[in-house]
Amino acid sequence: MKKEINIGLFGFGSVGRGLYDVLGAVEGKDVKIKRICVRDLTKERGVDANFTDNAEDIFTDPEINMIVELIDDAEAAYGIVRRSLEQKLPVVSGNKKMLAYHLPELIELGKQTATPFLYDASACGSIPVIRNLEEYYDNDLLVSVKGILNGSSNFVLSKIFNENMDYASALKLAQDLGFAESDPSLDFDGWDSLFKLVILTIHAFGIYVAPEKIFRYGISTMNDADIRFAAEKQRRIKLVGHVEKLADGGVYLWVAPQLISRDKYIYSVEDEFNGVVIKGRYYYKQFMFGRGAGGHPTGAAVLSDITACRYDYRYEYKRMNTSLPLHHTNDVTHRIYYRYRTEEDSTLIHFSKVRERYTSSEWSYMVGDVTLAELVAIKDKLAGKDIFLAAYPFD
Ligand SMILES: NC(=O)c1ccc[n+]([C@@H]2O[C@H](COP(=O)([O-])OP(=O)(O)OC[C@H]3O[C@@H](n4cnc5c(N)ncnc54)[C@H](OP(=O)(O)O)[C@@H]3O)[C@@H](O)[C@H]2O)c1
């Protein structure tokens, strides 16, 4: 039912401020930010709004009838979302890390309390991937969701492949332009993409896979040799999140750099943009493209969730209730490009088949087939080494 909304907002950083601006620009005044809770009350905010640093001021205000959580502290965000649901206050969140670790119990709490809980902005910012997976692709035809889920790493890769920048200069430029976190690991080691993939998988296939069970590898050890290899094969390296359903009901998911050929939609996704390819039987492939981050695009996505909550829209998690539940598997084989330097590292990955091999005094590489289960088993051994790997799909 359409009603007047008084928001209790947590966080006034990039996205909180973005939401404030977007709300200020839309027609109609029946959605208002009543109070904003931040961490540091002494910061100059440059807006005329009612700030507090005490969450109680929001949770005990009888006029506040919706909570919007846009803070950068995952554990505190979890507490805010839990309490909102317990108090039957509709809640909107953008916190992918918190969601990736706590979604199953929050979904259950949302059901028990019959309270709307939306988070479309958490995966791919302004691109409504979750809502589409929920509503349009809620059937057996869906086969895979694959895409560039992190804008910062894509910006760096674009600068490397289009403007011949080296990795360090491209990273510095991304940070100077505000596209990259001061701790680059979140974006460049694939964590951000991983959290989004966990959320998308729930809506695409109805299964929750905890982040620690998923193979994740980023681009932070990529070097000139890898860039040259990709160019020789007429491909570009993209950091890709990928979930796919197999014929036997198994679902595998992973985040890794991939050597993408020119004929693929995501080959042309440049700079800080995101692009998601949704593949299914009969309709084949569909492509969603847009701004996956940034205060205003993400603020616009949050407003869309607020509006949906206002009409009592809820995710139904239809795929979780299917009579033929799917299961997580790592029993799938991929072709991999693996670059290493030392003799010891040459045996780190057990290839079931080696297809190509190059050795020099500076670096060596192998191209071969390996199971995802093998990659998951050795994932902790890959960290901190002068190596790089990327999926090298056949098509
Ligand atoms: N940035 C994006 O493009 C984007 C896109 C999609 C999703 N998200 C998600 O949206 C959330 C916010 O991101 P952001 O980029 O806006 O972060 P940000 O710029 O770092 O701002 C974080 C805000 O959270 C406040 N805060 C932190 N802990 C708090 C607590 N315990 N209680 C109240 N306020 C608290 C901070 O207060 P102070 O200002 O006082 O320090 C700050 O205003 C994150 O979960 C992020 O993953 C971001």
Side-chain angles (χ1 to χ4, degrees):
M1 202 221 302
K2 200 174 169 189
K3 55 196 173 206
E4 200 162 283
I5 296 296
N6 287 314
I7 292 169
L9 173 63
F10 285 85
F12 203 69
S14 305
V15 186
R17 175 64 203 245
L19 172 66
Y20 180 91
D21 292 345
V22 170
L23 258 179
V26 294
E27 295 289 322
K29 292 288 168 212
D30 41 7
V31 178
K32 287 191 206 87
I33 297 176
K34 173 100 196 302
R35 199 110 202 233
I36 305 171
C37 182
V38 289
R39 187 170 30 199
D40 178 1
L41 213 44
T42 64
K43 263 190 207 170
E44 184 48 55
R45 309 283 171 177
V47 296
D48 180 20
N50 193 358
F51 286 95
T52 177
D53 60 357
N54 183 357
E56 291 306 311
D57 290 341
I58 286 188
F59 282 116
T60 56
D61 183 336
E63 287 183 10
I64 287 178
N65 56 3
M66 189 182 294
I67 302 296
V68 176
E69 175 285 300
L70 299 170
I71 71 173
D72 58 341
D73 173 339
E75 273 316 292
Y78 168 63
I80 292 165
V81 172
R82 262 206 87 89
R83 181 155 178 199
S84 308
L85 294 173
E86 280 160 2
Q87 287 190 210
K88 294 185 186 271
L89 285 165
V91 56
V92 172
S93 171
N95 201 310
K96 51 223 149 193
K97 181 175 181 190
M98 181 275 287
L99 294 164
Y101 286 101
H102 296 290
L103 248 181
E105 56 174 302
L106 293 175
I107 291 171
E108 196 46 45
L109 188 56
K111 269 190 211 154
Q112 279 168 18
T113 57
T115 306
F117 164 40
L118 301 182
Y119 43 81
D120 235 84
S122 65
C124 302
S126 68
I127 317 175
V129 187
I130 297 176
R131 203 95 59 86
N132 266 284
L133 290 172
E134 272 284 306
E135 299 302 326
Y136 188 82
Y137 300 98
D138 65 328
N139 53 48
D140 273 344
L141 299 181
L142 184 67
V143 171
S144 70
V145 180
K146 175 173 175 175
I148 294 168
L149 310 180
N150 178 268
S152 317
S153 53
N154 200 53
F155 177 87
V156 165
L157 290 168
S158 292
K159 293 294 153 203
I160 291 170
F161 281 89
N162 299 336
E163 297 174 29
N164 294 325
M165 258 189 202
D166 61 74
Y167 180 78
S169 316
L171 173 58
K172 168 121 189 9
L173 180 63
Q175 283 173 332
D176 289 348
L177 290 172
F179 290 135
E181 310 268 349
S182 46
D183 168 12
S185 165
L186 265 182
D187 293 322
F188 301 98
D189 289 334
W191 288 105
D192 180 76
S193 303
L194 173 68
F195 298 148
K196 292 168 179 169
L197 188 66
V198 170
I199 299 167
L200 293 179
T201 299
I202 285 204
H203 292 274
F205 297 112
I207 58 168
Y208 170 72
V209 185
E212 59 275 13
K213 293 191 176 154
I214 301 168
F215 181 74
R216 169 201 53 80
Y217 197 77
I219 57 164
S220 54
T221 59
M222 190 180 78
N223 72 13
D224 287 348
D226 311 315
I227 295 163
R228 204 172 313 157
F229 179 87
E232 273 167 19
K233 305 291 179 186
Q234 296 180 355
R235 295 193 180 209
R236 283 180 181 160
I237 295 172
K238 297 284 189 188
L239 183 55
V240 174
H242 179 186
V243 55
E244 181 152 344
K245 181 175 75 174
L246 302 169
D248 67 354
V251 173
Y252 73 88
L253 55 164
W254 62 326
V255 172
Q258 297 209 6
L259 288 145
I260 300 294
S261 56
R262 206 179 277 269
D263 57 335
K264 296 289 176 288
Y265 290 120
I266 57 175
Y267 180 91
S268 310
V269 174
E270 302 290 11
D271 299 326
E272 70 277 22
F273 284 86
N274 285 187
V276 179
V277 178
I278 295 174
K279 190 170 163 187
R281 285 187 289 140
Y282 304 108
Y283 51 79
Y284 193 46
K285 280 181 185 173
Q286 286 154 1
F287 180 49
M288 299 182 80
F289 169 83
R291 289 189 186 276
H296 287 150
T298 312
V302 173
L303 177 58
S304 179
D305 276 353
I306 292 169
T307 314
C309 266
R310 193 168 165 222
Y311 290 96
D312 286 328
Y313 172 80
R314 288 161 213 211
Y315 302 136
E316 288 182 58
Y317 304 100
K318 299 182 192 94
R319 305 290 306 153
M320 285 183 122
N321 304 318
T322 163
S323 53
L324 285 173
L326 305 172
H327 61 275
H328 176 220
T329 183
N330 288 316
D331 190 10
V332 61
T333 300
H334 293 291
R335 183 171 67 162
I336 293 283
Y337 157 81
Y338 172 53
R339 190 257 308 149
Y340 56 93
R341 196 182 290 271
T342 65
E343 187 62 34
E344 187 196 342
D345 287 343
S346 70
T347 55
L348 202 56
I349 298 180
H350 301 291
F351 288 97
S352 55
K353 177 176 185 175
V354 175
R355 296 173 178 271
E356 198 180 325
R357 189 191 283 267
Y358 168 84
T359 309
S360 78
S361 55
E362 286 177 71
W363 75 83
S364 305
Y365 72 75
M366 271 185 241
V367 171
D369 297 352
V370 62
T371 63
L372 193 52
E374 157 73 5
L375 292 177
V376 170
I378 59 159
K379 68 183 167 64
D380 294 340
K381 294 189 192 151
L382 302 175
K385 287 194 170 273
D386 183 8
I387 58 170
F388 179 71
L389 67 82
Y392 186 7
F394 285 104
D395 61 346

